[in-house]
Amino acid sequence: QNISTARNLPASLIDSIADNYLIQHISQAVQFGLIDELVYFDQVIEKLKEKCGIEEKDKLSMVSIQKYGKEDDKKKIKKDKIAILYAQGGIVDGKGSDGDIGSETYAKEIRKIRKDENVKALVFRINSGGGSALASDVILREIALAKQIMPVIATMGDVAASGGYYIACMADTILAEPNTITGSIGVFGMLFNMQDFFQNKIGVTFDGVRTGKFTDMGTTSRPLTDEERRIIQAAIDTIYKDFKERVSTGRGLDTAYVNSIAQGRIWTGNQALDNKLVDMIGGLNDAVEIAANKAGLTEYTIVEYPEQKDPLEKFMESFGSASENYILKKRLGELYPIYEKMEQLKKMNGIQARMPFDIEIK
């Protein structure tokens, strides 16, 4: 649809091009109108000079998009600010690490934003398949507190599902891309029973003493009893109920309706719009514009959180983890992906509000 609109071509032609593999040479892309012209880089420069009215013998002054953006920001430094908080990765308890959304770290960032008198609105950019239900609830609490002081706009990237939707559901306005994966309102828990492995593979059995009937509940050396299973199921049911209530409150929806679209089901952004889980289709720039309008701002500075480390510092830190991963990949070979998944599993404490697909091991 986007290509059809942008290139003024019938959608049926786009389908035909794809289904029949009609573009097998770049010249055919010109023939069908997907691109305008075939040129080399030096010809692009000539065209730019022509459009800018620059003599052919003169140099075309160019600047990278990163530098252009920074220079533009310097010109627009204003007292009033809109904060953009980026949350990408799995949601974990505690501080987390690079690539994680640590509940302690993000709660602290949101408090910092909330207490800054110059910040007039918060844009919460989420790209996460979820994680710890407890960590998600800790972050949502801080979002709810920030919402009492300033507009909070949530904007979803590729995925904002399960815990990723949990931390978004209280925002004043929620935006998703058409193909964002969202929803997945559900929770689960996992326990390992390795009794057969220990006993039949390596000949190890376990015995022990305990002070109460449930003191070793969840041990890997035996299966759960029926009573233990009921206790854990009750905990999962309670957290699932809390999740649905958060969505019901945040979205102003009837709990029965939320239940009908929950149950762990996932939706695209377009489907989520139809199901009232998001308010509109749009991206980060749209979210910033909405935040400015809700805050009554015409001039403002954008500040980004979490604050990024100095590039040199990040570069030096990367040596340790990069060299460690390199050695592990060399030694483990085809087993490395399993090791990587097991490392992720070690971070999964308690009941999970997480899409299950990212923990599959083949």
Side-chain angles (χ1 to χ4, degrees):
Q1 289 175 346
N2 288 338
I3 294 171
S4 175
T5 301
R7 300 302 302 173
N8 194 25
L9 297 171
S12 58
L13 175 61
I14 309 297
D15 278 336
S16 179
I17 289 170
D19 291 342
N20 298 296
Y21 207 78
L22 297 181
I23 298 177
Q24 300 181 31
H25 186 271
I26 192 65
S27 61
Q28 291 167 315
V30 179
Q31 176 188 334
F32 285 107
L34 290 183
I35 65 176
D36 296 301
E37 192 177 352
L38 301 180
V39 293
Y40 289 101
F41 182 70
D42 62 287
Q43 293 172 301
V44 174
I45 299 299
E46 290 174 9
K47 287 179 178 292
L48 287 172
K49 284 183 177 180
E50 183 181 333
K51 286 185 176 291
C52 294
I54 297 174
E55 294 290 335
E56 188 176 344
K57 58 181 174 55
D58 294 331
K59 184 179 179 181
L60 180 68
S61 178
M62 295 193 293
V63 63
S64 69
I65 188 68
Q66 292 87 353
K67 187 174 181 181
Y68 178 83
K70 288 180 180 178
E71 290 299 320
D72 195 44
D73 287 343
K74 288 177 184 177
K75 297 174 185 175
K76 296 192 299 186
I77 293 177
K78 305 293 179 185
K79 182 180 178 183
D80 292 332
K81 302 174 184 175
I82 292 177
I84 301 178
L85 177 63
Y86 295 94
Q88 177 155 334
I91 301 172
V92 299
D93 299 304
K95 293 183 178 180
S97 56
D98 285 347
D100 292 329
I101 305 169
S103 59
E104 185 179 331
T105 300
Y106 274 77
K108 184 178 179 181
E109 292 287 351
I110 298 167
R111 281 196 296 272
K112 186 195 305 182
I113 292 168
R114 171 164 55 91
K115 293 179 179 181
D116 187 337
E117 295 180 355
N118 292 325
V119 175
K120 306 301 181 184
L122 168 61
V123 172
F124 196 16
R125 178 66 170 182
I126 303 167
N127 201 2
S128 172
S132 164
L134 174 60
S136 300
D137 200 52
V138 169
I139 294 170
L140 182 65
R141 170 62 180 172
E142 291 297 331
I143 289 292
L145 292 174
K147 184 181 172 182
Q148 296 174 11
I149 297 172
M150 64 184 70
V152 177
I153 313 300
T155 167
M156 299 175 172
D158 293 338
V159 58
S162 204
Y165 186 77
Y166 195 122
I167 62 178
C169 69
M170 289 283 187
D172 293 290
T173 304
I174 303 177
L175 292 84
E177 301 286 359
N179 294 323
T180 295
I181 297 300
T182 188
S184 190
I185 300 168
V187 301
F188 68 90
M190 286 195 307
L191 291 169
F192 291 99
N193 171 20
M194 301 181 70
Q195 185 181 62
D196 286 347
F197 169 77
F198 286 128
Q199 187 169 328
N200 300 329
K201 295 292 184 182
I202 57 177
V204 174
T205 58
F206 291 82
D207 199 359
V209 293
R210 53 187 176 179
T211 56
K213 186 163 57 170
F214 301 111
T215 50
D216 66 340
M217 184 168 64
T219 178
T220 61
S221 63
R222 63 170 176 82
L224 291 170
T225 66
D226 290 341
E227 193 172 6
E228 289 171 334
R229 189 178 295 276
R230 284 194 295 271
I231 290 170
I232 293 172
Q233 185 63 54
I236 292 172
D237 292 342
T238 299
I239 293 170
Y240 180 44
K241 179 173 175 287
D242 290 343
F243 192 168
K244 291 186 290 185
E245 286 178 352
R246 303 287 192 274
V247 175
S248 176
T249 301
R251 300 298 300 159
L253 298 172
D254 181 75
T255 51
Y257 174 75
V258 172
N259 187 59
S260 72
I261 58 173
Q263 302 170 41
R265 299 167 70 187
I266 61 171
W267 310 99
T268 65
N270 282 329
Q271 291 171 327
L273 180 62
D274 293 337
N275 291 332
K276 303 177 184 177
L277 290 176
V278 305
D279 296 293
M280 62 182 291
I281 300 299
L284 181 58
N285 290 338
D286 300 304
V288 171
E289 186 176 339
I290 291 170
N293 289 336
K294 283 185 175 290
L297 301 177
T298 55
E299 296 184 337
Y300 51 86
T301 298
I302 292 176
V303 289
E304 298 181 333
Y305 297 85
E307 293 180 6
Q308 296 299 303
K309 294 179 181 178
D310 178 82
L312 179 60
E313 183 183 354
K314 288 183 70 174
F315 178 71
M316 296 303 292
E317 286 179 355
S318 70
F319 273 108
S321 59
S323 58
E324 182 182 350
N325 288 339
Y326 175 79
I327 294 169
L328 284 170
K329 285 180 180 178
K330 279 286 189 183
R331 289 183 175 176
L332 296 176
E334 293 181 356
L335 296 176
Y336 180 77
I338 298 177
Y339 163 79
E340 196 173 30
K341 294 297 182 184
M342 294 303 296
E343 286 296 302
Q344 292 174 12
L345 287 171
K346 284 164 60 178
K347 296 179 181 179
M348 296 184 191
N349 298 318
I351 306 302
Q352 297 290 301
R354 176 191 296 270
M355 293 182 69
F357 312 110
D358 65 350
I359 60 169
E360 181 180 359
I361 299 175
K362 294 183 179 180

